[in-house]
């Protein structure tokens, strides 16, 4: 049967529109998600090193001591991380790398395929998801700071995005999802990371999955988790579908959630991800590294309050001496960027750390 001219036009239009819609697999994830009160969470661009930023997510435990304070100035909101001034166990939960947060879209956990990073573009910081292995895939825009200022900056999630928490067999875990849907992604402006100069790109994760410890402070023991000012007009180059995470990379069922310790850093060289506080058996504690190049971070403390503040960030910090002065050593790092991140964390609470090479 021959098609009329109108019929041909309808067929061509339908085919073109179908090809523009991102495809997300409908197969269920190993993990579920738990809806949460959005007011209890905040995404923060945390400065470190030389004009770099990483992603920090803080959860406020309801009814407990306040974890942060927001200071609005024009369009940008700065954040005072109050949890750095007290022992926040039982009051706040902090996630600092891909062990503690990841992307989830249309019910799919994309932590194995996309890393979250912060880039500077046209006077603001933008939180994007970048494909780990395929550089031809466009970035997924998640949120932005709506301006620039010094210090910690609040990241406002774009419409269609929200915080949720990972769940497994009915048990809610500490891992935080930045959750969206394909409809919300289609409405985002296309982001091209090549628009940023090398000096502007602020990477908050490595190009491979970060295997560092997620430091959280809860009354229960931490559980293991596996894993521009842009225009508001819709993109003319919609995002292609992210691939289905490889089933071979899916973690096995978790054995028990009540007694598992936090995930510790690997024994391999650290990457450029966020530096968490070191653990007793971790490579970066400074007690058991055997590398040819290392960076030791120490800090002088003049009071028991300073000592408490240091150990709220680095629980395994221990006493040492440097040039005849009594110091606390917070870590020994094989990667200079990680040492600078630890140094910046200490400077943010008013202390003067030293990196010893």
């Amino acid at each position: 049967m021959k098609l009329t001219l109108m019929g041909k036009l309808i067929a061509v239009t339908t085919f073109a529109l179908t090809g523009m819609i991102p495809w997300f697999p409908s197969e269920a994830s190993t993990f579920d998600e738990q809806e949460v009160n959005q007011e209890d969470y905040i995404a923060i661009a945390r400065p470190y090193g030389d004009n770099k930023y990483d992603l920090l997510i803080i959860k406020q435990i309801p009814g407990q001591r306040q974890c942060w304070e927001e200071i609005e100035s024009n369009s940008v909101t700065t954040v005072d991380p109050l949890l750095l001034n007290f022992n926040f166990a039982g009051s706040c939960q902090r996630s600092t790398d891909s062990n503690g947060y990841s992307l989830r879209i249309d019910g799919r956990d994309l932590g194995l395929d996309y890393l979250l990073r912060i880039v500077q573009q046209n006077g603001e910081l933008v939180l994007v998801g970048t494909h780990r292995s395929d550089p031809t895939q466009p970035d997924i825009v998640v949120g932005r700071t709506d301006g620039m200022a010094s210090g910690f900056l609040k990241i406002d999630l774009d419409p269609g995005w929200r915080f949720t928490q990972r769940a497994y067999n009915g048990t809610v875990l500490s891992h935080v999802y930045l959750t969206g849907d394909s409809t919300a992604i289609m409405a985002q402006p296309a982001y091209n990371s090549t628009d940023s100069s090398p000096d502007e790109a602020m990477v908050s994760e490595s190009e491979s999955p970060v295997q560092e410890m997620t430091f959280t402070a809860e009354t229960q023991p931490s559980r293991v988790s596996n894993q521009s000012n842009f225009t508001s007009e819709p993109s003319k180059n919609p995002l292609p579908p992210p691939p289905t995470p490889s089933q071979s990379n899916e973690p096995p069922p978790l054995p028990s959630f009540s007694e598992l310790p936090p995930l510790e850093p690997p024994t391999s060289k650290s990457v450029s991800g966020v530096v968490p506080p070191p653990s007793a058996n971790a490579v970066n504690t400074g007690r058991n590294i055997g590398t040819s190049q290392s960076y030791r971070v120490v800090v002088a403390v003049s009071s028991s309050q300073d000592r408490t503040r240091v150990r709220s960030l680095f629980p395994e910090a221990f006493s040492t001496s440097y040039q005849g002065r009594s110091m606390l050593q917070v870590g020994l790092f094989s990667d200079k960027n990680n040492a600078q991140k630890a140094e910046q964390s200490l400077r943010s609470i008013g202390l003067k750390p030293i990196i010893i090479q």
Side-chain angles (χ1 to χ4, degrees):
M1 181 178 66
K2 295 184 179 179
L3 293 176
T4 64
L5 177 59
M6 181 61 68
K8 291 179 181 179
L9 290 174
I10 294 174
V12 170
T13 302
T14 302
F15 176 79
L17 291 177
T18 302
M20 293 173 61
I21 299 175
W23 174 77
F24 294 97
S26 59
E27 181 182 355
S29 292
T30 299
F31 296 103
D32 298 319
E33 61 187 5
Q34 176 68 43
E35 297 296 333
V36 298
N37 181 3
Q38 300 300 298
E39 300 301 319
D40 293 338
Y41 296 77
I42 186 172
I44 299 173
R46 179 174 62 174
Y48 73 91
D50 184 16
N51 196 33
K52 299 178 182 178
Y53 294 84
D54 57 36
L55 174 61
L56 169 67
I57 296 179
I58 302 177
K59 174 187 176 182
Q60 174 73 60
I61 307 300
Q64 301 301 316
R65 191 166 177 178
Q66 185 177 353
C67 301
W68 73 84
E69 181 179 7
E70 299 179 18
I71 304 98
E72 295 187 8
S73 176
N74 298 323
S75 62
V76 65
T77 300
T78 59
V79 179
D80 183 1
L82 302 176
L83 78 168
L84 299 181
N85 300 321
F86 62 92
N87 183 356
F88 58 84
S91 296
C92 318
Q93 174 184 312
R94 183 179 66 171
S95 299
T96 59
D97 61 27
S98 60
N99 287 314
Y101 50 66
S102 62
L103 280 180
R104 186 178 176 92
I105 299 175
D106 287 351
R108 295 295 307 184
D109 188 344
L110 300 179
L112 295 177
D113 296 283
Y114 282 81
L115 60 87
L116 288 163
R117 65 192 188 107
I118 295 175
V119 299
Q120 183 175 339
Q121 178 73 16
N122 295 336
E124 68 176 351
L125 298 178
V126 184
L127 175 61
V128 298
T130 299
H131 200 279
R132 294 181 183 274
S133 59
D134 185 356
T136 65
Q137 295 279 1
D139 288 340
I140 300 174
V141 179
V142 179
R144 65 199 72 217
T145 60
D146 296 317
M148 290 293 298
S150 60
F152 294 73
L153 302 181
K154 179 181 180 182
I155 299 172
D156 293 313
L157 301 186
D158 281 356
W161 292 92
R162 68 189 189 280
F163 297 103
T164 62
Q165 282 203 217
R166 174 179 286 174
Y168 182 80
N169 286 348
T171 301
V172 179
L173 309 180
S174 61
H175 189 98
V176 178
Y177 285 128
L178 291 168
T179 299
D181 56 60
S182 55
T183 303
I185 293 174
M186 283 291 293
Q188 301 299 317
Y191 171 77
N192 185 354
S193 60
T194 60
D195 292 339
S196 298
S197 67
D199 292 336
E200 288 181 322
M202 313 297 177
V203 180
S204 67
E205 293 281 1
S206 66
E207 293 302 326
S208 59
V210 176
Q211 298 296 324
E212 293 185 338
M213 177 183 68
T214 300
F215 179 75
T216 59
E218 299 179 351
T219 54
Q220 297 293 329
S222 298
R223 301 179 174 96
V224 173
S225 56
N226 300 77
Q227 300 283 65
S228 110
N229 200 354
F230 297 106
T231 63
S232 59
E233 298 179 358
S235 168
K236 297 181 180 180
N237 300 305
L239 297 173
T244 305
S246 174
Q247 294 299 319
S248 61
N249 290 330
E250 290 287 355
L254 301 179
S256 171
F257 299 99
S258 60
E259 299 299 331
L260 290 177
L263 185 64
E264 294 180 353
T267 56
S268 60
K269 181 176 179 180
S270 299
V271 291
S272 59
V274 181
V275 178
S279 64
N281 298 318
V283 172
N284 61 354
T285 60
R287 298 178 185 266
N288 55 1
I289 284 186
T291 58
S292 58
Q293 182 70 37
S294 61
Y295 304 88
R296 184 158 63 110
V297 180
V298 298
V299 61
V301 290
S302 58
S303 66
S304 59
Q305 181 180 6
D306 286 345
R307 188 177 297 269
T308 298
R309 293 168 69 189
V310 170
R311 285 186 170 148
S312 71
L313 290 173
F314 303 91
E316 299 301 325
F318 59 90
S319 299
T320 185
S321 62
Y322 175 65
Q323 296 183 346
R325 300 174 60 193
S326 178
M327 315 281 277
L328 282 181
Q329 179 168 321
V330 304
L332 185 65
F333 304 93
S334 58
D335 186 283
K336 187 175 182 179
N337 282 338
N338 284 348
Q340 290 175 339
K341 294 177 186 180
E343 177 193 31
Q344 183 65 29
S345 295
L346 293 167
R347 290 190 184 279
S348 70
I349 59 174
L351 299 178
K352 297 181 179 180
I354 302 171
I355 298 179
I356 306 170
Q357 185 171 341

